[in-house]
């Protein structure tokens, strides 16, 4: 993959922020909250054969697009605050916040892409109803649900960090 679109560093830097501040180690509660819980919701949707309908897909695409734009403006705010920061603790906190917001933008874009893929596969497999149901219900809908729940939790974390830093 081209280094210009390689987002692995954004993912790594985000996951490095999920640590217990007392011990300095990766937080089990954070892993549960940001990974296991969304996975459980996602797997449950697959087990119960939940398919996201067209109107919900449309709402999710709008949600993702709006949050991407808002989060990009938050990045500018964080960058500006980072340049004004004087203490090392404040700079570390702003670095972590910056990484979290970048990751949120990435997840939001991913959610929009998977919503669009879900709609595309619905149209491509209209003749093969069983394949379309399999791809949408077993694969795409759970991914969209995972990304949505993961995004909401990450945005809540970003909001809390913004409040603590700038409030």
């Amino acid at each position: 993959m081209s280094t210009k679109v390689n987002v692995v560093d954004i993912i790594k830097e985000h996951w490095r922020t999920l640590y217990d501040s007392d011990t300095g180690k990766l937080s089990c509660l954070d892993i549960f909250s940001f990974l296991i819980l969304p996975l459980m919701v996602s797997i449950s949707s697959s087990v119960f054969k939940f398919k996201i309908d067209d109107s919900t897909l449309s709402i999710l695409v709008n949600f993702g697009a709006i949050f991407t734009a808002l989060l990009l403006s938050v990045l500018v705010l964080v960058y500006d605050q980072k340049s004004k920061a004087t203490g090392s603790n404040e700079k570390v906190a702003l670095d972590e916040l910056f990484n979290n917001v970048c990751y949120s933008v990435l997840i939001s874009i991913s959610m929009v892409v998977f919503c669009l893929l879900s709609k595309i596969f619905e149209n491509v497999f209209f003749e093969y109803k069983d394949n379309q149901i399999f791809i949408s219900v077993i694969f795409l809908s759970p991914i969209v649900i995972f990304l949505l729940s993961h995004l909401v939790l990450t945005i809540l974390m970003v909001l809390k960090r913004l409040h603590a830093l700038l409030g």
Side-chain angles (χ1 to χ4, degrees), residues 8-127:
V8 172
D9 287 341
I10 294 172
I11 297 167
K12 285 180 183 176
E13 293 298 322
H14 166 73
W15 286 98
R16 285 187 187 127
T17 67
L18 302 179
Y19 65 91
D20 186 333
S21 57
D22 295 333
T23 64
K25 294 181 180 179
L26 197 59
S27 169
C28 291
L29 185 57
D30 286 348
I31 296 300
F32 177 80
S33 299
F34 293 101
L35 187 63
I36 305 299
L37 186 61
L39 267 175
M40 289 170 43
V41 172
S42 175
I43 291 168
S44 297
S45 75
S46 183
V47 168
F48 293 111
K49 295 183 174 37
F50 178 77
K51 182 183 178 299
I52 300 174
D53 64 15
D54 289 347
S55 62
T56 305
L57 281 174
S58 176
I59 291 168
L60 291 175
V61 168
N62 288 333
F63 172 81
I66 290 168
F67 265 94
T68 298
L70 290 172
L71 290 167
L72 287 172
S73 63
V74 169
L75 278 176
V76 173
L77 171 75
V78 172
Y79 180 78
D80 182 55
Q81 290 299 315
K82 192 173 152 183
S83 67
K84 296 175 184 175
T86 55
S88 63
N89 286 344
E90 187 180 9
K91 286 183 181 184
V92 168
L94 286 165
D95 277 341
E96 288 184 357
L97 181 60
F98 183 81
N99 292 327
N100 297 145
V101 174
C102 286
Y103 182 79
S104 296
V105 169
L106 180 63
I107 295 301
S108 187
I109 292 168
S110 299
M111 186 181 72
V112 169
V113 167
F114 276 99
C115 285
L116 294 174
L117 285 174
S118 183
K119 187 63 180 160
I120 289 168
F121 274 100
E122 180 180 301
N123 292 332
V124 169
F125 288 112
F126 66 91
E127 293 176 13

Side-chain angles (χ1 to χ4, degrees), residues 1-10 106 109:
M1 179 183 294
S2 170
T3 57
K4 290 180 175 82
V5 293
N6 188 347
V7 295
V8 172
D9 287 341
I10 294 172
L106 180 63
I109 292 168

